[in-house]
Amino acid sequence: MRRAVCPGSFDPVTNGHLDIIGRASRLFDEVIVGVLINQSKTGLFTIEERIEMLREVTARFGNVRVESFRGLLVDFCRAQEAEVLVKGLRAVSDFDYELQMAQMNLGLASVETLFMPTNPQYSFISSSLIKDVAKWGGDISAHVPELVHTALRQRLVPPAG
């Protein structure tokens, strides 16, 4: 079975993430979305909320499963019996960092990294930017699934009055 991992914090999941996950799901028998538990950072959404949102918005793919992990990504890959990581690249600036990580992962555990260029429609989208725009009441509906849009409005936009 050809199995790949799409890792990230997904705080929150965006349409750019879904584009990469969906494209990977056509290339592999199974795609595991690995949600990083980073205890040094406090996310807007809890790990459980992120996993729940991801499970709902990736259900249409049929061969995607969502799991959380902590520690080294290569250890998670080993535990999932996945030999490939799929990473989306938005810009050249992403490549420098991701190449170093890919080389380390290959050296540590022979885990290959497949770089997938982001659809230009999503190249400027990041979870941080989405949260920032949503916090100030901007319209992010074209950049996130409806479920995430609703959750962000409830979490960030103060009630009028």
Side-chain angles (χ1 to χ4, degrees), residues 35 41 43 53 83 115 123 128 132:
V35 182
K41 283 187 176 180
M53 283 190 277
E83 296 178 348
F115 294 125
S123 63
S128 298
D132 208 30

Side-chain angles (χ1 to χ4, degrees), residues 28 32-34 37 51 58 81 90 93 103 111 114 132-133 141 149 155:
F28 295 93
I32 301 123
V33 176
I37 299 171
I51 289 171
T58 61
E81 298 178 354
R90 293 173 296 194
S93 56
Q103 291 168 332
V111 173
L114 170 67
D132 208 30
V133 171
S141 61
H149 185 233
R155 184 76 39 105

Side-chain angles (χ1 to χ4, degrees), residues 6 10 13-14 17-22 25 31-33 50-67 145 147:
C6 286
F10 304 102
V13 61
T14 69
H17 292 130
L18 291 177
D19 175 59
I20 297 296
I21 294 166
S25 76
V31 174
I32 301 123
V33 176
R50 288 183 243 169
I51 289 171
E52 184 178 322
M53 283 190 277
L54 276 159
R55 285 184 177 151
E56 187 165 331
V57 299
T58 61
R60 64 184 166 163
F61 299 124
N63 64 337
V64 172
R65 125 174 103 87
V66 181
E67 304 289 340
L147 167 80

Side-chain angles (χ1 to χ4, degrees), residues 38-146:
N38 185 343
Q39 289 149 331
S40 64
K41 283 187 176 180
T42 303
L44 178 62
F45 295 101
T46 67
I47 295 296
E48 294 77 18
E49 289 170 324
R50 288 183 243 169
I51 289 171
E52 184 178 322
M53 283 190 277
L54 276 159
R55 285 184 177 151
E56 187 165 331
V57 299
T58 61
R60 64 184 166 163
F61 299 124
N63 64 337
V64 172
R65 125 174 103 87
V66 181
E67 304 289 340
S68 64
F69 76 96
R70 66 183 55 176
L72 290 177
L73 179 55
V74 293
D75 291 339
F76 177 70
C77 289
R78 275 192 206 116
Q80 301 300 317
E81 298 178 354
E83 296 178 348
V84 178
L85 290 167
V86 176
K87 302 289 282 219
L89 295 178
R90 293 173 296 194
V92 173
S93 56
D94 288 346
F95 181 74
D96 290 335
Y97 173 76
E98 294 296 348
L99 179 61
Q100 291 176 352
M101 296 301 294
Q103 291 168 332
M104 179 61 81
N105 292 335
L106 184 63
L108 285 173
S110 298
V111 173
E112 293 287 352
T113 301
L114 170 67
F115 294 125
M116 194 174 283
T118 302
N119 180 325
Q121 179 180 356
Y122 307 119
S123 63
F124 64 92
I125 298 172
S126 70
S127 294
S128 298
L129 182 58
I130 291 296
K131 288 185 286 195
D132 208 30
V133 171
K135 178 174 68 177
W136 297 105
D139 182 11
I140 45 97
S141 61
H143 308 300
V144 296
E146 179 57 35

